[in-house]
Amino acid sequence: MSIYQHYRPEEHEFVDRVLHWKSEVLERYSPRLTDFLDPREQEIVKTIVGNDTEVRLSLWGGSSFSERKRALIYPDYYEAQNEDFQLVCYNIQYPAKFSTIEHRDVLGALMNIGVKRGKYGDILISGDRVQFICATEISGFIELNLTKVGKTGITLHTISEDELAEVKTEYNEKSGTVSSLRLDVVVAEVYNLSRAKASPLIQQGRVKLNHKIVDHVSTEMMEGDELSVRGFGRSKLIAIEGTTKKEKWRIRYGLLK
């Protein structure tokens, strides 16, 4: 039985990477720290590494409510500490009376200076507070180059993990039935759209599945998948609860509050 049958074709490359990390730890008998992983990637790492008796796995992104986390894969003799994850937390100081900074603004600013997505974790917005977490190895570059977010001049201040704003991901749960688990069918149900309206959104690249753009309407969804539809918000397929007598799928899903 192939390990790949449990994953989508587009995930096979990441599965290979995880298998390489695991074998690297076993061969060198030393820890391996990854970049920041999105929730789906974390699930894949847990599945491949999490139940192994020869290696251990820890995930940390700065706080217990972090969405994006670094994975530490290590031999059974090793005791993982928070310091091993090599994180730096920043508070962005800006003239809040005159400017507003949103999540996408910080994301764009980091991308504009050439920082890869895997090198920084959550971007936290709570009222006027704007914070983010990055990998230690990129912190010096960020401090030198991140001087503006949009047109707003900013100053970065390092903070402790205890000072991170608590921004939890909470969903309004609903239940429904769908004729299939195709992406277009589930998007239509979750966002109360017709399939005729859902399909173009997918084909136009406006839908992300597990944080990656997917433009195939027939992509099969799985329990735990996260959706993001531009202009409609984020959601999650929480559970697939079997079929009805009319052979429709019963699903439970949540829309981000």
Side-chain angles (χ1 to χ4, degrees):
M1 185 183 292
S2 170
I3 189 173
Y4 299 106
Q5 71 178 26
H6 302 292
Y7 306 100
R8 296 188 177 90
E10 61 268 21
E11 294 175 333
H12 291 180
E13 184 181 345
F14 182 73
V15 169
D16 287 338
R17 211 180 311 160
V18 178
L19 291 169
H20 176 72
W21 293 337
K22 180 181 172 182
S23 62
E24 194 178 64
V25 170
L26 288 170
E27 288 169 10
R28 298 182 181 179
Y29 214 51
S30 61
R32 176 67 159 83
L33 180 64
T34 74
D35 283 345
F36 287 93
L37 307 177
D38 65 42
R40 175 59 183 164
E41 290 170 334
Q42 292 168 40
E43 287 303 315
I44 293 174
V45 176
K46 286 179 189 176
T47 304
I48 296 173
V49 179
N51 296 321
D52 198 294
T53 55
E54 295 181 276
V55 293
R56 294 182 181 179
L57 170 69
S58 292
L59 296 158
W60 186 246
S63 70
S64 59
F65 50 85
S66 294
E67 185 175 80
R68 301 181 68 90
K69 301 174 183 178
R70 301 187 87 172
L72 185 72
I73 304 167
Y74 51 98
D76 53 10
Y77 76 87
Y78 195 82
E79 292 295 329
Q81 307 292 329
N82 280 5
E83 293 76 20
D84 293 324
F85 292 89
Q86 299 178 31
L87 306 179
V88 179
C89 306
Y90 289 109
N91 191 73
I92 296 178
Q93 186 174 321
Y94 67 103
K97 286 185 178 180
F98 308 104
S99 306
T100 300
I101 291 180
E102 298 181 357
H103 184 281
R104 63 184 178 183
D105 300 324
V106 181
L107 195 66
L110 288 165
M111 288 176 64
N112 287 340
I113 63 170
V115 181
K116 294 180 179 179
R117 189 63 186 94
K119 291 301 181 184
Y120 57 97
D122 288 0
I123 296 168
L124 307 170
I125 311 286
S126 179
D128 291 340
R129 279 196 295 175
V130 181
Q131 303 170 336
F132 70 95
I133 302 103
C134 79
T136 300
E137 63 266 26
I138 202 75
S139 60
F141 176 82
I142 287 177
E143 288 172 13
L144 280 172
N145 292 280
L146 189 63
T147 56
K148 283 188 174 183
V149 173
K151 295 180 180 179
T152 304
I154 63 146
T155 307
L156 294 179
H157 296 279
T158 55
I159 57 174
S160 68
E161 293 180 355
D162 291 340
E163 296 176 273
L164 289 171
E166 187 169 346
V167 181
K168 292 183 178 179
T169 303
E170 296 181 340
Y171 295 93
N172 285 317
E173 289 193 22
K174 294 185 177 182
S175 296
T177 59
V178 289
S179 58
S180 78
L181 295 172
R182 282 171 48 121
L183 181 59
D184 58 345
V185 177
V186 176
V187 166
E189 165 65 26
V190 171
Y191 294 97
N192 195 26
L193 301 168
S194 67
R195 282 179 67 182
K197 289 186 177 180
S199 295
L201 294 174
I202 298 165
Q203 294 163 340
Q204 293 162 11
R206 294 177 61 184
V207 175
K208 287 186 178 180
L209 177 62
N210 297 322
H211 307 270
K212 295 172 180 65
I213 293 173
V214 177
D215 56 9
H216 297 293
V217 296
S218 59
T219 299
E220 198 84 354
M221 289 199 62
M222 300 163 64
E223 190 170 280
D225 279 347
E226 296 189 10
L227 281 171
S228 174
V229 181
R230 199 186 314 155
F232 294 87
R234 290 172 57 188
S235 62
K236 182 174 183 177
L237 181 56
I238 296 168
I240 299 169
E241 300 176 329
T243 56
T244 66
K245 291 179 180 179
K246 294 183 178 181
E247 297 186 347
K248 287 193 171 186
W249 291 96
R250 285 195 300 267
I251 61 171
R252 183 156 48 88
Y253 55 90
L255 286 158
L256 190 66
K257 291 182 178 179

